[in-house]
Amino acid sequence: MIVSIPSMVGFIVLSKPIVLLLFPQKETFMEASNLLRYLSVTTVFYSLSTLTNAILQSVGKANIAVVNAAVALIIQTILLVPLLIFTDLNLYCLVIVAIVYSFVMCILNRFFVRKYLGYRQEIMNTFLLPLIASVCMGIAAITIYKGMYYLVNSNAVATITSVIIAATLYFVIIIRIGVIREEELVRFPKGYLLVKLLRKK
């Protein structure tokens, strides 16, 4: 969640600059950026479902994960058919069912992880604090982007600068509010260097 939640927020606030940077086709720019924004929530859901899939497999319940995926697929299909027939949502139908599929997978997998392992998910450090830090990061990202774009009139420079500064700010915030501990930070790539830097501060 330390990675997936800020990723979701980043896609939401910077969807237009990101799409313009990667796929600068003007005729599909708005629709592509909207699709990216709406689909960003699946970043969190797919992260959770992938993790819980691995947990279920590691305790010998791989079949449960497969059944959950099948159930989610059936629900997705049941929802998709009437959306395609009775609405004019077009591509947004696929966005809706993708969100539903990933969400259902999360719910089902979490139920069985709790059933077989007795694990109760901690909410504050896992979800709420990273979300708060991510919202602060998102506000900083879009503010920095607009400021940089005004100064240099370059989407690429403004996007890359805002991502780097906002990601750094997010990292500082989660350290300061205690989302991540030193022993967890050491496990990150080059984490021992980060620990040394923070100790000096």
Side-chain angles (χ1 to χ4, degrees), residues 118-178:
Y119 176 74
R120 290 179 176 271
Q121 179 66 60
E122 182 275 329
I123 301 298
M124 180 62 73
N125 263 26
T126 304
F127 297 105
L128 294 184
L129 291 182
L131 180 59
I132 292 170
S134 297
V135 170
C136 295
M137 179 206 72
I139 294 171
I142 193 63
T143 302
I144 294 166
Y145 172 81
K146 290 182 177 180
M148 286 296 299
Y149 190 83
Y150 177 79
L151 291 174
V152 301
N153 196 30
S154 170
N155 178 67
V157 172
T159 302
I160 294 170
T161 302
S162 63
V163 168
I164 292 173
I165 296 176
T168 303
L169 175 64
Y170 170 77
F171 180 77
V172 171
I173 292 174
I174 63 172
I175 293 294
R176 295 302 184 188
I177 65 178

Side-chain angles (χ1 to χ4, degrees), residues 4-15:
S4 63
I5 291 177
S7 297
M8 175 191 71
V9 173
F11 284 135
I12 290 173
V13 300
L14 293 177
S15 61

Side-chain angles (χ1 to χ4, degrees), residues 21-37:
L21 179 65
L22 299 176
F23 309 103
Q25 293 88 354
K26 299 294 184 180
E27 62 275 8
T28 58
F29 164 69
M30 286 303 298
E31 185 171 36
S33 61
N34 285 334
L35 291 171
L36 176 61
R37 181 181 296 114

Side-chain angles (χ1 to χ4, degrees), residues 20 30 34 50 52 104 111 136 179 184:
L20 189 60
M30 286 303 298
N34 285 334
T50 300
T52 48
V104 171
F111 172 80
C136 295
V179 174
E184 295 170 326

Side-chain angles (χ1 to χ4, degrees), residues 49 52-73 101 104-117:
S49 60
T52 48
N53 273 343
I55 292 171
L56 289 170
Q57 291 173 25
S58 69
V59 295
K61 301 296 180 181
N63 58 322
I64 295 293
V66 174
V67 171
N68 289 345
V71 171
L73 181 62
Y101 175 87
V104 171
M105 280 288 293
C106 283
I107 296 300
L108 293 176
N109 283 359
R110 181 178 175 182
F111 172 80
F112 285 104
V113 166
R114 182 173 178 177
K115 177 180 178 180
Y116 291 113
L117 298 178

